[in-house]
Amino acid sequence: MSREFGAADPAVEKPVDGPPTPKYVDGGYGWVILASCFVVTGLSMSFVKTFGIFFLDIQEYFDTLAFKVSWITAITVAVFHVCCLGNGFAWVPSVSLVTQYFTERRPLANAIASCGECVFTFIFTPFYQWLVDQMSWRQAMMIIAGIQLNLCVCGALMRPYQAQKKCQNATSPSAATSGNDLCSTSAKRKKNLAHFFDLPLLKQPKFICMIFFGFFSVAGFFAPAIYLIPHAQNIGIEDFQAALLMAYWSAGDLIGRLGCGWLANLRLMKSIRLTTIMVTILSIALSLFPVAKSYTLLVIFSCVSGFFFGTMLALIVTLLTDVMGVDKLDNALGLIMFFRAIGCLLGPPLAGFLVDITGDYGIGFYVAGGGLFIAASFLVLADYFLNQEQKCSQNTVKQMEKLISERQPQEDVEKEQLGNIQTERDPMNEVSET
């Protein structure tokens, strides 16, 4: 009887046999994806940040100006920003997969992946300089190209995210619901791609300020990476010790990213004001960089500048989210990346042009510091427009509440009058009176 009752129970059904499917929820194979993205980020960005090792050798070999050599990094970074070509072919899919495999731990996963840039720069900077010292810069480039082939290994480890399949039992309605959610998500992604460049955003003053912030802050991103090592070599520092300055910079960068990410989560102040403070301090540190003539001072300035450089990078996405909102984040990033690419094309060559005129590689730090100071001023303006927008919305809410409060007594009076009229016309009252 018990068996027959169990067989007749509709709540108990055997799942349909099918191939086992992996479950990707903030772990499992996602950690392999995260490790691959860590390596991809490190290999892609570390070479750009260590290009200063080859700057003087390339300039001497081709007997050309610093203005022309600086175009190598400028074009590389600009193409990466606009078209996602070159290293972007590896970096963009890997970062996208990390966001697919991680949900609850997504901020931690993205932070770990971005730290690959700092770790690999710290390791490869002295190694690349050792290669240049042991052989020519062209032979060193061939070895570096071989190291970059590890991107193919990381690509082979990448697997598209596949949601866990549901069995055909009592939970099938939820499976159908999840399928509808996936379809709606796909439609939303297509819509976002269609409106990637949301031009109406250009009508908002706060977004215009963010565009200028991105444009001028690019000078602080890549000018130090290009001119730090040549500046140290130009003032008489040994080549290997000069290369170590970039390693010290990367160590400070790593601490700054992790520390400021933790500080931002405390919400002690608005992210836009915290970013303004960090960018201003970084602009001052970079402007004072050429003053350092001893190796000890260069190490101190490298650590300090790298630290505040890391804090700025840790806050950018959070800053843009707070200013523009989550719904407009993708569209805002698309436009800002476009204008940042223009800044990448103009910043390093401008610094190289001034280096050729003055003969001092330290001029690149003045350009970086000045650009960041101007960028910080646009953050102040963005904060002003954001406050005005919030005040305007608050005033609108207060006016609506006031209007509702004023209309409420009138509605109560009208209801009371209507009730009296209905009472007078009630036939039961007429019968009781008779």
Side-chain angles (χ1 to χ4, degrees), residues 163-185:
Q164 187 181 17
K165 296 181 180 179
K166 302 293 182 180
C167 299
Q168 295 179 359
N169 50 16
T171 60
S172 59
S174 62
T177 303
S178 63
N180 294 332
D181 293 340
L182 291 175
C183 294
S184 61
T185 302

Side-chain angles (χ1 to χ4, degrees), residues 229-415:
I229 297 176
H231 169 68
Q233 293 173 342
N234 193 44
I235 62 176
I237 304 298
E238 186 182 351
D239 292 348
F240 189 78
Q241 290 183 337
L244 287 178
L245 292 176
M246 199 66 231
Y248 295 133
W249 180 292
S250 299
D253 185 357
L254 177 62
I255 297 173
R257 294 191 192 202
L258 298 178
C260 194
W262 170 80
L263 180 62
N265 287 332
L266 297 179
R267 298 292 181 179
L268 299 177
M269 66 172 63
K270 296 172 63 176
S271 60
I272 189 170
R273 295 177 183 176
L274 181 60
T275 308
T276 303
I277 294 173
M278 298 302 176
V279 172
T280 303
I281 296 176
L282 178 59
S283 67
I284 296 174
L286 290 177
S287 299
L288 295 176
F289 211 109
V291 178
K293 299 299 181 181
S294 65
Y295 188 72
T296 303
L297 288 177
L298 287 174
V299 171
I300 294 174
F301 273 100
S302 297
C303 293
V304 172
S305 300
F307 175 83
F308 288 102
F309 179 85
T311 60
M312 180 176 59
L313 291 182
L315 291 170
I316 283 181
V317 176
T318 303
L319 164 67
L320 193 58
T321 304
D322 292 345
V323 173
M324 301 305 302
V326 178
D327 296 337
K328 295 294 183 180
L329 178 60
D330 292 339
N331 298 331
L333 275 175
L335 285 171
I336 288 179
M337 290 286 282
F338 174 77
F339 287 99
R340 275 169 56 89
I342 299 176
C344 292
L345 282 174
L346 299 179
L350 174 62
F353 175 74
L354 296 176
V355 166
D356 293 329
I357 295 177
T358 60
D360 182 14
Y361 288 93
I363 198 69
F365 293 94
Y366 292 127
V367 174
L372 285 172
F373 188 80
I374 297 174
S377 65
F378 280 104
L379 283 182
V380 174
L381 287 175
D383 188 22
Y384 170 77
F385 288 121
L386 188 61
N387 289 334
Q388 293 296 324
E389 182 178 317
Q390 292 175 352
K391 289 180 181 179
C392 182
S393 61
Q394 291 175 359
N395 292 333
T396 303
V397 172
K398 290 180 180 179
Q399 291 177 0
M400 292 295 295
E401 292 177 351
K402 183 179 179 181
L403 181 61
I404 293 174
S405 62
E406 290 177 353
R407 289 181 58 87
Q408 190 67 33
Q410 297 178 358
E411 292 179 356
D412 295 339
V413 172
E414 292 176 355
K415 289 181 180 180

Side-chain angles (χ1 to χ4, degrees), residues 106-129:
R106 184 176 295 167
L108 175 62
N110 289 328
I112 295 175
S114 66
C115 288
E117 173 186 346
C118 307
V119 174
F120 275 70
T121 303
F122 180 81
I123 296 173
F124 281 152
T125 301
F127 175 65
Y128 290 167
Q129 184 60 57

Side-chain angles (χ1 to χ4, degrees), residues 59-277:
Q59 185 178 2
E60 181 181 357
Y61 180 83
F62 290 101
D63 191 20
T64 187
L65 301 175
F67 170 77
K68 295 182 179 180
V69 178
S70 61
W71 276 103
I72 299 175
T73 302
I75 294 174
T76 301
V77 177
V79 170
F80 178 86
H81 277 72
V82 176
C83 307
C84 293
L85 300 176
N87 290 333
F89 278 127
W91 182 78
V92 173
S94 63
V95 173
S96 176
L97 282 177
V98 170
T99 59
Q100 294 177 24
Y101 275 81
F102 289 87
T103 304
E104 295 180 359
R105 300 177 183 175
R106 184 176 295 167
L108 175 62
N110 289 328
I112 295 175
S114 66
C115 288
E117 173 186 346
C118 307
V119 174
F120 275 70
T121 303
F122 180 81
I123 296 173
F124 281 152
T125 301
F127 175 65
Y128 290 167
Q129 184 60 57
W130 179 79
L131 289 177
V132 174
D133 293 338
Q134 297 298 319
M135 56 191 71
S136 66
W137 66 271
R138 291 175 296 172
Q139 294 172 333
M141 284 282 191
M142 295 177 64
I143 295 177
I144 293 172
I147 296 175
Q148 294 290 323
L149 286 176
N150 286 289
L151 292 172
C152 299
V153 178
C154 297
L157 294 174
M158 297 290 181
R159 294 180 182 176
Y161 176 80
Q162 295 178 355
Q164 187 181 17
K165 296 181 180 179
K166 302 293 182 180
C167 299
Q168 295 179 359
N169 50 16
T171 60
S172 59
S174 62
T177 303
S178 63
N180 294 332
D181 293 340
L182 291 175
C183 294
S184 61
T185 302
S186 178
K188 290 180 180 179
R189 288 180 179 176
K190 291 179 180 179
K191 183 178 180 180
N192 289 336
L193 289 174
H195 298 280
F196 188 70
F197 290 104
D198 193 357
L199 296 181
L201 288 175
L202 297 175
K203 298 179 181 179
Q204 301 183 19
K206 62 180 182 180
F207 183 66
I208 297 295
C209 294
M210 295 305 299
I211 286 178
F212 280 105
F213 165 74
F215 178 83
F216 286 102
S217 63
V218 170
F221 287 167
F222 301 105
I226 299 173
Y227 299 108
L228 173 59
I229 297 176
H231 169 68
Q233 293 173 342
N234 193 44
I235 62 176
I237 304 298
E238 186 182 351
D239 292 348
F240 189 78
Q241 290 183 337
L244 287 178
L245 292 176
M246 199 66 231
Y248 295 133
W249 180 292
S250 299
D253 185 357
L254 177 62
I255 297 173
R257 294 191 192 202
L258 298 178
C260 194
W262 170 80
L263 180 62
N265 287 332
L266 297 179
R267 298 292 181 179
L268 299 177
M269 66 172 63
K270 296 172 63 176
S271 60
I272 189 170
R273 295 177 183 176
L274 181 60
T275 308
T276 303
I277 294 173

